[in-house]
Amino acid sequence: MSASPDRAGIPGDPPGGGRAVAVWSIGVAVYFVAVIFRTSLGVAGLDAADRFHVGASALATFSLLQLLVYAGMQIPVGLMVDRLGTKKVLTLGAVLFTVGQLGFALSPSYGMALAARALLGCGDAMTFISVLRLGTRWFPARRGPLMAQLAGLVGMAGNLVSTLVLAPVLHGVGWTAAFAGSAVAGLVVLVPLVLFLRDHPEGYGPKAVPKPAPKPAPGGTAAAGSGGASGGFVRRQIRESWAEPGTRLGLWVHFTTQFPAMVFLLLWGMPFLVEAQGLSRTTAGGLLTLVVASNMALGLVYGQVVGRRQSARIPLALGTVGLTAVLWAAVLVYPGDRAPMWLLVSLCLVLGTCGPASMIGFDFARPANPAERQGTASGITNMGGFIASMTTLLTVGVLLDATGDNYRIAFSTVFVLEAVGVISILRLRPRALAREADRVRVTIPAQEPEQEPEPVPRACPLPETAGREAP
């Protein structure tokens, strides 16, 4: 039985297996620790305000700065992964976020703490794209969606560890001991990373990126230094990745699906539930945990569906956006001052689908780019959701100040950004899917001669074979 186009392998597809799982697990462990460090401030907000003697706006700057650094680093990190390889970038990231977490533990002032979080954000930004690259280099292409969802699942588990483990430790042993002790986890994952992680299986490395010849200097000799060649590599990687409709479609899918849950979890969910809905902090915290649990449960479902049927990507992404918009609208326009608990629970369950749906963006960028551009394409895609999240975080805050804490008006921002994203997805979808289908038609015939049970008479060439030949 021949493989369907949705599940067909590609020439040079890695075999996967036990060693692939072991190597990938090392990379995912680094990402797991990075997420713990990233979300650690979420359980220490009140303690940070007391320690650094700052108000709510200065405290929110920690989250905004972290998102800004993370989003701004995505394309540089993608270029680094393509140029230097996964191991070097992941090692640098682990060193940076470990130093950042330790610096945050020891910071005596708000300014130094802010600098430590920026350093942590730089290291954190290097982890996820590196893990995605490991998945594409160690596992067959048909496993790509599942491996990406599993990576996201591990990240959400790191979020839970911050909530369930770091919070009580912080209140038990104090600020410095809790954050400095957690920094040890960075050293623990750094050891197997340096000793055992490999960029790809032997014989399955990506094609070497050709280096442009240096331009001759005015005197006729080649210009000294590699700055021109490096600049040419960067421009070429970004230009060629962006030229692919699949990369741009991936960015807009990520943009449209991720931000409602991230804004809710990162900053505005707790104030909305406590101030606008009148819940206790304990009940509100339980609803935030429900978002994380829903994300973890549905991540595997989304990964399996997309892995088995690539045609489900757009319906899943748009369905998630539509369902999120419906639930948000129901909560915001519900008669009276407060929505019922069953409706808030439904909203949190649906917000849990945003993370898995955002991973579909990478499933458009991945097949649109060759192995040597995977890092850059993933970086461009990953910027989408974080740009939308930063925009919404700031806009909601401004509208709350301008309207006297009217959450109904402030959260209407969600619908505006979702509409912009859906329009962009529908605009790019035909071109991206057509390009992807062309690649499938080129790939499958390359494997067919090895599968034919008997030679075809050469006196009468097959019409479909003749039609598929390159001009």
Side-chain angles (χ1 to χ4, degrees), residues 70-463:
Y70 192 100
M73 286 288 293
Q74 290 310 294
I75 291 180
V77 168
L79 291 165
M80 290 171 64
V81 170
D82 289 336
R83 191 66 177 261
L84 303 177
T86 304
K87 181 174 183 176
K88 292 179 181 178
V89 176
L90 205 54
T91 301
L92 178 59
V95 171
L96 289 177
F97 68 60
T98 301
V99 173
Q101 184 78 342
L102 182 61
F104 194 59
L106 303 176
S107 294
S109 66
Y110 174 73
M112 292 186 65
L114 207 59
R117 294 303 290 186
L119 189 64
L120 191 156
C122 285
D124 179 22
M126 297 182 181
T127 57
F128 186 63
I129 292 178
S130 298
V131 171
L132 288 180
R133 175 65 175 255
L134 280 179
T136 61
R137 297 316 305 159
W138 281 90
F139 293 93
R142 68 180 184 277
R143 298 293 185 193
L146 179 60
M147 303 314 296
Q149 293 287 356
L150 285 173
L153 180 67
V154 171
M156 295 308 291
N159 200 330
L160 280 181
V161 168
S162 290
T163 304
L164 302 178
V165 177
L166 186 58
V169 170
L170 176 65
H171 298 145
V173 302
W175 178 280
T176 301
F179 279 96
S182 66
V184 175
L187 298 177
V188 171
V189 296
L190 191 58
V191 174
L193 168 60
V194 172
L195 294 179
F196 303 115
L197 190 133
R198 298 292 180 269
D199 286 351
H200 50 75
E202 186 176 353
Y204 289 90
K207 294 187 302 181
V209 180
K211 296 182 179 180
K215 294 182 179 180
T221 59
S226 59
S230 299
F233 169 80
V234 170
R235 289 190 296 271
R236 184 175 64 253
Q237 289 287 96
I238 296 175
R239 182 180 64 250
E240 293 178 357
S241 297
W242 183 256
E244 290 292 342
T247 303
R248 302 197 301 277
L249 179 59
L251 179 146
W252 282 108
V253 168
H254 199 266
F255 176 100
T256 314
T257 53
Q258 188 201 48
F259 79 94
M262 175 164 286
V263 168
F264 195 79
L265 287 172
L266 196 61
L267 188 59
W268 293 120
M270 181 68 75
F272 171 74
L273 294 172
V274 174
E275 296 178 0
Q277 300 300 317
L279 303 180
S280 68
R281 295 178 70 88
T282 301
T283 304
L287 288 176
L288 295 181
T289 303
L290 180 62
V291 177
V292 177
S294 173
N295 185 302
M296 296 177 67
L298 293 171
L300 291 177
V301 176
Y302 274 57
Q304 289 283 3
V305 171
V306 174
R308 293 175 182 272
R309 180 63 58 182
Q310 293 283 289
S311 58
R313 291 171 296 176
I314 289 291
L316 271 178
L318 294 181
T320 299
V321 174
L323 196 56
T324 304
V326 167
L327 265 296
W328 259 123
V331 169
L332 295 178
V333 304
Y334 192 85
D337 295 333
R338 299 172 184 176
M341 179 58 70
W342 66 265
L343 187 54
L344 294 176
V345 169
S346 300
L347 172 65
C348 291
L349 287 173
V350 169
L351 286 177
T353 65
C354 293
S358 71
M359 303 300 292
I360 296 174
F362 298 101
D363 295 322
F364 286 108
R366 187 184 306 111
N369 293 272
E372 61 270 18
R373 285 207 312 265
Q374 287 293 318
T376 306
S378 296
I380 293 173
T381 300
N382 206 28
M383 286 181 63
F386 291 95
I387 291 173
S389 297
M390 284 189 297
T391 303
T392 309
L393 280 170
L394 289 172
T395 307
V396 168
V398 170
L399 289 175
L400 286 174
D401 288 338
T403 60
D405 292 338
N406 189 322
Y407 281 91
R408 289 181 173 179
I409 295 177
F411 272 111
S412 297
T413 309
V414 171
F415 306 118
V416 176
L417 267 70
E418 284 186 329
V420 171
V422 168
I423 292 171
S424 300
I425 290 172
L426 295 177
R427 178 176 57 84
L428 287 166
R429 173 182 174 273
R431 280 182 289 167
L433 295 185
R435 292 268 292 180
E436 191 173 293
D438 289 341
R439 289 188 177 88
V440 171
R441 284 194 293 269
V442 168
T443 299
I444 294 176
Q447 297 178 340
E448 287 177 352
E450 299 177 3
Q451 299 173 355
E452 292 177 358
E454 57 186 56
V456 178
R458 305 310 298 170
C460 182
L462 295 176

